[in-house]
Amino acid sequence: MAEQPLVVAALSPADPLGGADQAALEHTLRLAEALGGRSLAVTVGPAGAEEVLRQALACGVQRVLRIDGPAAADSDTTARALVAGLGLVPDLLLCGDRSSGRGTGATPAFLAARLGAAQALGLTELLLREGELTAVRRIDGRRREQLTVPLPAVCSVERGSARLRRAALPALLAARTAEIQVATVALPEPRQPVRLGPARPYRPRPLVLPAPVGTDPLARIRALTETDRPRTAARVITPAGPEAAVDELLGYLREHGYLAHLTREDDQC
Amino acid sequence: MTEPSYAGPVSASALLQQPPPARDFDVLVVGAGPAGSAAALAAARAGCSVALLERGPYPGSKNVYGGVVYGRILDELVPQWWEEMPVERWVTRRSTMVMTADQALTVDFRSQRWGTAPYNGATAHRSDLDGWLAGHAVAAGAVLVPATVATGLLRTTAGTVVGVRTDRPDGDLTAKVVIACDGVNSFLAKEAGLHPRQDNARHLTLGVKETLALPREVIEQRFGLTGRDGQDIEILGCTRGIPGGGFLYTNLESVSLGVVVGLPGLAAAKVRPEELLADLKAHPAIAPLVRGGRQVEYAAHLIPEGGYDHLPELAGDGLLVAGDAAGMCLAAGIWLEGVNFAIGAGMYAGRAAAAAIGAGDTSQAGLAGYRRALERSFVLADHRKLRKVPGLVLSERMQRQYPGLICDLAEGLFEVDNPRPKPGVWRLLRTAVRRHDISPRRLLADAITGMRAFG
Amino acid sequence: MTGQPGEDYREISFDDRMEGTEFRVSERAHITVDTEVCDSCTVRSCLHVCPAKLFVPRADGGILFNFEQCFECGACYQVCDAEGAITWTYPDGGLGVVFRKG
Ligand SMILES: Cc1cc2nc3c(=O)[nH]c(=O)nc-3n(C[C@H](O)[C@H](O)[C@H](O)COP(=O)(O)OP(=O)(O)OC[C@H]3O[C@@H](n4cnc5c(N)ncnc54)[C@H](O)[C@@H]3O)c2cc1C
Ligand code: SF4
Ligand code: SF4
């Protein structure tokens, strides 16, 4: 760890700050104090995104940085922009969990991967205890688990995990006119997102059956609906392993004429 | 650090031994309602540095009104305001309805002139309207400080107001003039001793309002409107005899239905406000208009209705009061106008503050131009002229007897009672006066008061 | 005007009525009521005037008060003339009721 560890809040550019981002900012301020380090708030967005940085300044972060970029980018692009704009690996980077701007909550994961940092996501508590960063997150069945997070790390916190302090009045007024540092980074062309076409109504695939022989209408109908055959009891298969189960199933389907268009080679996939 | 202080009826001023050597701002406006934003706008335009404090997260977030704003006064502040104000509908139909439990007489006036520039009244939501006006103040250079409560005045030991204390850390702000636009409860004006009497509740009414969503076409059909035209209905006689009235206004895709009742009367009648609303909603003249409306917001707010005779002092050393904080709302049954009065008062307060700062005298005497400007303008001229009207409209007779009298007269006139011949108006009046136990002397006196007030 | 209980317009419950209004609830109770003072109050105006119905009578005759869904209108402290019953303040900046229409 550097002399003065750097704690970064990566905020979504949407004004006003969402609840999760507010919590991330508060944790940033607390942990920078606890670590005796520096605090920085960054966001990726156009000039309008500076409003959230002013809020961060008013609440007491030491520095802010806007990385110029589109207002809404996908998680990976945002993460790339953040990494490039920061130009170094911070000791700790905090995000809101599923903040309004990035609904998937995937940005912190991309960030951790790109920074080569540890990650701990969706936290409900985060604090420094005996020099170690300890966190709590929810797991299934309403249980919670405790984590010890090594630095450098990327953490995302839930809204409500901390209540953002109120800005002092002088800081609030000063933040209004403070100069905001802007970084420009080369962003890859935004990838084409998967585009959705209109959904088509459900149409069952035709099942091609040979014309039944004979002239008796009833017999023909019974032949078509297969009610003329002796019924076999449903067979419950409990094969040894998945491989065997697949063989069983495919064999059964092929036997009943469903997989006529598949060759044996397709089976081997 | 001092103990945290809060804004309330017992909030106290912080006393400074020495006047602060420098001030943070020329003018400090408390409250970003229509009065405050107009004050900040006028002062900033006159070259002052201005801060505009608002306790809500955004301007309008704490504010409630019926829904009609008369924008003429804005001509002076925002030329062509109608091209940019966030309007729901332009009022082209103004109706006054007088009702009893099963009767209603409506005087319905329509003017298509009000549906084109420069317009007359408009319906608008406060969250839109207040934000829009505050935006103009900011564009003129004022500094908007939201989510910040002014918890008390900063005063010198001599009593001069030199700023306010807020609920933020290090929250003291100093200024040469403080303009209190903090609305009907105005703790700041009370703290400064500008409101002489303590029996405030007597001059307060409580307004409750439902915003009911309805499709645009349904509103147009039911209210007989096209395009952006709107209707404004003021209602008398819908409050079970409790002094007050009701209203029904059309927005673009919702209607606002409310009742306004005197606080002492409400308490004495032991009726809850939403029961009055439920009555109104079920009245045969109203029910078909609002049926099926989905409630999107319920809101309540106090209204000052003391009128001219109960105005507080409007200026102190370093302090001005404007809008509802000074009781400048015209709330008397068929009138519910406060926003226009607030904007007017705020504008004159902002200008008076700037003039006093320019002249280097912000004492009460130096700020006296404010009251003079108000008296010359509609703000106090209308209040002066209508000073007897709140008392009349909220009187027992107007609330309990006259609606029945008026409706019975109309019923008698329009009812065809063959084979009996039609009754004369005088006979009808005599019967109705007797039936409602009205003193003819009082009726005549009230008629004269009314005529004088409006003449 | 008489409306019979049970007519459909009355059926909107008070909770439904309040549902559309947003409240950013503070940790600090901005209004507190000294219910001991209320015990000896006979007028009980607050029960009728509080538009948010935050004062409710208790079975034992006392008063129960809850600050959370308050319009911050001021009606309660204005009608209550019992010394010391209601301690009334605005919530901290940014908290409390948030009207979206108003
Ligand atoms: C039910 C009802 C219906 C009405 N109908 C109409 C109508 O149809 N047309 C019309 O013209 N008028 C109407 N009025 C009247 C109108 O709403 C008021 O007269 C008008 O809003 C007054 O404006 P103002 O700026 O003086 O006060 P407000 O609009 O009350 O603004 C005061 C502002 O100060 C802020 N504030 C208060 N204290 C502090 C503090 N300590 N620190 C920081 N900020 C503070 C508040 O949050 C608020 O934003 C109605 C009123 C009611 C209640
Ligand atoms: S709050 Fe006031 S009016 Fe209400 S019960 Fe208590 S003392 Fe009485
Ligand atoms: S301020 Fe208004 S809403 Fe709040 S408790 Fe008092 S009367 Fe009820």
Side-chain angles (χ1 to χ4, degrees):
Chain A
M1 216 190 292
E3 280 290 278
Q4 275 223 312
L6 174 65
V7 186
V8 175
L11 304 172
S12 111
D15 174 43
L17 275 179
D21 275 356
Q22 287 187 20
L25 182 55
E26 177 63 31
H27 281 300
T28 302
L29 295 167
R30 288 184 195 169
L31 289 168
E33 279 159 27
L35 289 164
R38 296 161 296 149
S39 55
L40 166 72
V42 297
T43 189
V44 180
E50 288 178 6
E51 217 30 62
V52 302
L53 297 180
R54 294 189 192 283
Q55 289 174 42
L57 271 179
C59 289
V61 292
Q62 291 160 338
R63 273 185 51 218
V64 296
L65 172 68
R66 176 171 72 84
I67 299 165
D68 198 42
D74 63 82
S75 301
D76 189 26
T77 310
T78 305
R80 278 173 201 247
L82 281 168
V83 171
L86 284 170
L88 54 86
V89 179
D91 299 275
L92 181 57
L93 188 147
L94 293 163
C95 303
D97 175 42
R98 260 170 256 260
S99 45
S100 48
R102 348 179 186 88
T104 61
T107 307
F110 278 113
L111 265 174
R114 292 199 173 275
L115 291 170
Q119 68 172 33
L121 307 184
L123 306 176
T124 58
E125 280 175 41
L126 182 62
L127 46 95
L128 200 67
R129 191 179 290 149
E130 286 155 19
E132 279 191 321
L133 192 60
T134 31
V136 175
R137 76 174 166 207
R138 285 177 223 276
I139 50 176
D140 288 350
R142 299 196 175 186
R143 287 170 307 153
R144 293 177 184 229
E145 69 184 352
Q146 230 189 35
L147 314 169
T148 305
V149 187
L151 299 183
V154 173
C155 297
S156 74
V157 294
E158 283 193 359
R159 63 180 287 215
S161 60
R163 193 180 264 256
L164 180 58
R165 64 194 62 186
R166 299 200 69 200
L169 197 54
L172 186 78
L173 293 175
R176 289 188 48 264
T177 47
E179 184 138 0
I180 303 241
Q181 197 189 332
V182 182
T184 329
V185 295
L187 284 181
E189 275 294 299
R191 266 176 304 172
Q192 286 287 342
V194 175
R195 273 170 305 181
L196 297 180
R200 282 187 311 186
Y202 170 70
R203 218 183 303 139
R205 281 218 246 130
L207 179 66
V208 185
L209 295 176
V213 289
T215 50
D216 173 24
L218 185 62
R220 285 169 65 90
I221 288 172
R222 294 188 64 170
L224 266 179
T225 55
E226 301 189 350
T227 43
D228 55 340
R229 300 181 205 170
R231 271 196 231 182
T232 47
R235 192 152 56 100
V236 180
I237 40 176
T238 36
E243 292 293 318
V246 170
D247 287 345
E248 277 271 7
L249 270 172
L250 290 181
Y252 180 86
L253 292 174
R254 188 167 293 113
E255 184 184 320
H256 288 81
Y258 286 103
L259 298 181
H261 57 288
L262 286 189
T263 63
R264 291 271 156 191
E265 276 71 62
D266 290 334
D267 276 15
Q268 307 305 317
C269 59
Chain B
M1 258 328 276
T2 42
E3 280 285 289
S5 59
Y6 303 109
V10 294
S11 59
S13 303
L15 290 189
L16 306 183
Q17 293 309 319
Q18 300 282 320
R23 310 289 161 96
D24 299 316
F25 290 92
D26 292 331
V27 176
L28 190 59
V29 181
V30 180
S37 289
L41 174 55
R45 287 245 179 97
C48 295
S49 65
V50 181
L52 176 58
L53 295 189
E54 169 55 47
R55 69 185 188 91
Y58 55 84
S61 55
K62 300 288 181 184
N63 304 342
V64 179
Y65 81 146
V68 179
V69 49
Y70 297 92
R72 193 76 306 112
I73 183 63
L74 282 170
D75 289 351
E76 276 194 54
L77 286 172
V78 187
Q80 315 275 312
W81 50 271
W82 52 85
E83 288 173 4
E84 44 164 302
M85 192 165 89
V87 163
E88 292 281 311
R89 288 177 184 275
W90 296 105
V91 175
T92 54
R93 256 186 103 178
R94 194 182 194 290
S95 315
T96 304
M97 189 183 276
V98 180
M99 62 165 59
T100 67
D102 55 2
Q103 296 165 307
L105 174 74
T106 308
V107 179
D108 178 16
F109 179 71
R110 192 190 275 265
S111 170
Q112 224 44 48
R113 268 203 318 122
W114 292 346
T116 51
Y119 300 99
N120 180 42
T123 56
H125 294 305
R126 283 299 289 275
S127 47
D128 302 334
L129 184 69
D130 291 15
W132 171 73
L133 199 56
H136 272 284
V138 169
V143 176
L144 174 65
V145 189
T148 306
V149 186
T151 57
L153 296 168
L154 296 179
R155 291 208 268 176
T156 63
T157 41
T160 304
V161 174
V162 292
V164 299
R165 175 154 287 173
T166 72
D167 69 340
R168 286 193 180 273
D170 296 333
D172 288 359
L173 266 187
T174 55
K176 295 176 183 155
V177 178
V178 171
I179 309 181
C181 301
D182 49 344
V184 55
N185 280 301
S186 190
F187 300 124
L188 295 185
K190 284 176 195 154
E191 191 182 307
L194 299 185
H195 283 272
R197 280 183 294 160
Q198 287 308 308
D199 64 338
N200 286 313
R202 222 155 50 82
H203 301 296
L204 289 173
T205 54
L206 173 68
V208 290
K209 172 174 117 168
E210 289 181 4
T211 305
L212 301 165
L214 284 170
R216 191 176 169 163
E217 318 77 63
V218 171
I219 293 175
E220 287 171 6
Q221 238 165 38
R222 290 185 185 176
F223 293 86
L225 304 169
T226 33
R228 278 290 176 122
D229 291 356
Q231 188 178 12
D232 152 344
I233 308 177
E234 314 290 339
I235 307 162
L236 222 53
C238 59
T239 48
R240 301 194 195 174
I242 303 168
F247 58 82
L248 174 59
Y249 302 146
T250 55
N251 304 313
L252 198 58
E253 292 187 315
S254 65
V255 297
S256 302
L257 180 73
V259 294
V260 169
V261 278
L263 267 189
L266 185 65
K270 302 209 177 297
V271 175
R272 288 201 39 82
E274 70 276 6
E275 297 177 64
L276 299 174
L277 260 180
D279 280 357
L280 187 56
K281 239 169 143 173
H283 191 279
I286 300 296
L289 297 176
V290 300
R291 181 170 298 139
R294 181 178 51 83
Q295 180 162 308
V296 288
E297 186 170 88
Y298 186 54
H301 205 277
L302 289 181
I303 308 171
E305 46 86 324
Y308 192 78
D309 293 335
H310 296 94
L311 289 176
E313 285 284 334
L314 300 179
D317 290 332
L319 180 70
L320 291 174
V321 195
D324 276 11
M328 288 172 182
C329 181
L330 182 64
I334 57 168
W335 287 279
L336 239 181
E337 290 175 38
V339 172
N340 49 336
F341 285 91
I343 293 173
M347 179 179 81
Y348 293 118
R351 288 178 184 170
I357 291 168
D361 179 7
T362 56
S363 68
Q364 186 171 31
L367 291 166
Y370 172 49
R371 172 109 199 192
R372 286 196 299 274
L374 288 181
E375 294 280 359
R376 279 195 305 270
S377 81
F378 77 101
V379 178
L380 289 188
D382 284 2
H383 272 292
R384 207 165 50 232
K385 180 164 154 194
L386 298 176
R387 67 207 290 176
K388 298 281 179 244
V389 173
L392 171 63
V393 176
L394 299 176
S395 69
E396 275 289 298
R397 304 176 301 284
M398 194 60 119
Q399 293 292 326
R400 290 183 182 273
Q401 302 173 323
Y402 296 170
L405 171 81
I406 293 167
C407 287
D408 281 358
L409 267 183
E411 191 164 311
L413 272 179
F414 299 138
E415 195 159 279
V416 179
D417 202 12
N418 299 340
R420 274 200 252 165
K422 291 196 191 305
V425 176
W426 286 113
R427 211 191 81 215
L428 281 174
L429 186 62
R430 268 203 312 280
T431 333
V433 162
R434 232 175 283 132
R435 168 123 67 92
H436 293 277
D437 201 15
I438 293 167
S439 138
R441 269 187 69 84
R442 289 265 28 153
L443 180 61
L444 196 61
D446 287 340
I448 292 171
T449 310
M451 260 151 26
R452 285 227 179 107
F454 301 117
Chain C
M1 198 157 64
T2 56
Q4 297 307 310
E7 278 179 30
D8 66 338
Y9 70 87
R10 282 179 188 279
E11 264 158 27
I12 167 166
S13 71
F14 202 81
D15 286 347
D16 288 345
R17 178 176 288 285
M18 300 296 284
E19 201 184 51
T21 313
E22 182 186 339
F23 297 93
R24 299 188 184 163
V25 178
S26 158
E27 281 163 9
R28 176 177 78 88
H30 64 290
I31 301 175
T32 52
V33 178
D34 183 347
T35 48
E36 269 177 37
V37 179
C38 300
D39 285 343
S40 52
C41 165
T42 49
V43 267
R44 304 258 152 133
S45 304
C46 57
L47 294 185
H48 307 289
V49 303
C50 171
K53 219 176 188 172
L54 296 177
F55 295 79
V56 280
R58 269 197 328 238
D60 65 2
I63 292 278
L64 204 70
F65 176 77
N66 182 350
F67 75 95
E68 289 178 356
Q69 300 207 322
C70 168
F71 291 127
E72 300 153 30
C73 66
C76 54
Y77 85 80
Q78 290 283 5
V79 296
C80 173
D81 34 25
E83 194 68 41
I86 299 181
T87 309
W88 202 99
T89 68
Y90 283 135
D92 296 350
L95 299 177
V97 70
V98 179
F99 293 118
R100 303 235 158 254
K101 302 286 178 195

Tab-separated table of all heavy atoms in Angstrom, chain C residues 33 37-38 41 44-46 55 63 80 82 85-86, ligand 2:
chain	number	residue	atom	x	y	z
C	33	VAL	N	-44.976	14.466	20.811
C	33	VAL	CA	-46.154	14.815	21.584
C	33	VAL	C	-45.986	14.242	22.986
C	33	VAL	O	-45.676	13.060	23.154
C	33	VAL	CB	-47.421	14.243	20.922
C	33	VAL	CG1	-48.650	14.559	21.759
C	33	VAL	CG2	-47.591	14.811	19.520
C	37	VAL	N	-49.504	15.181	28.786
C	37	VAL	CA	-50.288	16.423	28.748
C	37	VAL	C	-51.653	16.133	28.111
C	37	VAL	O	-52.691	16.624	28.560
C	37	VAL	CB	-49.537	17.515	27.957
C	37	VAL	CG1	-50.358	18.794	27.897
C	37	VAL	CG2	-48.176	17.781	28.571
C	38	CYS	N	-51.634	15.301	27.064
C	38	CYS	CA	-52.881	14.987	26.358
C	38	CYS	C	-53.888	14.287	27.263
C	38	CYS	O	-55.099	14.423	27.078
C	38	CYS	CB	-52.609	14.095	25.158
C	38	CYS	SG	-51.498	14.844	23.972
C	41	CYS	N	-56.388	16.493	28.436
C	41	CYS	CA	-56.975	17.410	27.448
C	41	CYS	C	-58.367	16.930	27.063
C	41	CYS	O	-58.573	15.747	26.795
C	41	CYS	CB	-56.096	17.467	26.201
C	41	CYS	SG	-56.890	18.203	24.768
C	44	ARG	N	-59.139	17.894	22.360
C	44	ARG	CA	-58.633	16.918	21.392
C	44	ARG	C	-58.772	17.378	19.953
C	44	ARG	O	-59.150	16.593	19.074
C	44	ARG	CB	-59.390	15.595	21.556
C	44	ARG	CG	-59.330	15.037	22.959
C	44	ARG	CD	-58.330	13.929	22.979
C	44	ARG	NE	-57.727	13.786	24.291
C	44	ARG	CZ	-57.582	12.647	24.917
C	44	ARG	NH1	-58.032	11.542	24.353
C	44	ARG	NH2	-56.971	12.587	26.062
C	45	SER	N	-58.524	18.638	19.717
C	45	SER	CA	-58.691	19.164	18.357
C	45	SER	C	-57.795	18.452	17.358
C	45	SER	O	-58.150	18.301	16.195
C	45	SER	CB	-58.362	20.658	18.338
C	45	SER	OG	-59.153	21.322	19.278
C	46	CYS	N	-56.627	18.033	17.803
C	46	CYS	CA	-55.669	17.415	16.889
C	46	CYS	C	-56.285	16.202	16.182
C	46	CYS	O	-55.970	15.932	15.025
C	46	CYS	CB	-54.421	16.999	17.660
C	46	CYS	SG	-54.780	15.883	19.018
C	55	PHE	N	-52.644	11.620	14.756
C	55	PHE	CA	-53.027	11.526	16.163
C	55	PHE	C	-54.178	10.529	16.234
C	55	PHE	O	-55.195	10.719	15.562
C	55	PHE	CB	-53.519	12.872	16.692
C	55	PHE	CG	-52.467	13.939	16.722
C	55	PHE	CD1	-52.111	14.625	15.565
C	55	PHE	CD2	-51.831	14.270	17.912
C	55	PHE	CE1	-51.145	15.617	15.589
C	55	PHE	CE2	-50.867	15.263	17.947
C	55	PHE	CZ	-50.519	15.935	16.783
C	63	ILE	N	-53.545	9.404	23.852
C	63	ILE	CA	-53.305	9.782	22.455
C	63	ILE	C	-52.026	9.104	21.983
C	63	ILE	O	-51.053	9.019	22.719
C	63	ILE	CB	-53.116	11.307	22.343
C	63	ILE	CG1	-54.419	12.036	22.651
C	63	ILE	CG2	-52.590	11.702	20.985
C	63	ILE	CD1	-55.382	12.114	21.527
C	80	CYS	N	-53.686	23.212	19.015
C	80	CYS	CA	-53.482	22.695	20.368
C	80	CYS	C	-53.042	23.829	21.267
C	80	CYS	O	-51.997	24.436	21.041
C	80	CYS	CB	-52.409	21.614	20.353
C	80	CYS	SG	-51.968	21.096	22.013
C	82	ALA	N	-52.718	23.395	24.588
C	82	ALA	CA	-52.178	22.883	25.844
C	82	ALA	C	-50.672	23.118	25.843
C	82	ALA	O	-49.965	22.664	24.952
C	82	ALA	CB	-52.478	21.402	25.992
C	85	ALA	N	-47.663	20.326	24.977
C	85	ALA	CA	-48.094	19.022	24.461
C	85	ALA	C	-47.343	18.674	23.186
C	85	ALA	O	-46.839	17.571	23.021
C	85	ALA	CB	-49.596	19.031	24.199
C	86	ILE	N	-47.237	19.642	22.262
C	86	ILE	CA	-46.621	19.367	20.967
C	86	ILE	C	-45.320	20.145	20.838
C	86	ILE	O	-45.290	21.356	21.043
C	86	ILE	CB	-47.571	19.768	19.809
C	86	ILE	CG1	-48.866	18.955	19.884
C	86	ILE	CG2	-46.892	19.565	18.460
C	86	ILE	CD1	-49.853	19.270	18.779
D	2	SF4	S1	-52.092	17.261	21.144
D	2	SF4	FE1	-53.067	19.016	22.111
D	2	SF4	S2	-55.175	18.967	21.306
D	2	SF4	FE2	-54.297	16.968	20.930
D	2	SF4	S3	-54.910	15.757	22.684
D	2	SF4	FE3	-52.857	16.544	23.128
D	2	SF4	S4	-53.233	18.419	24.257
D	2	SF4	FE4	-55.174	17.890	23.258
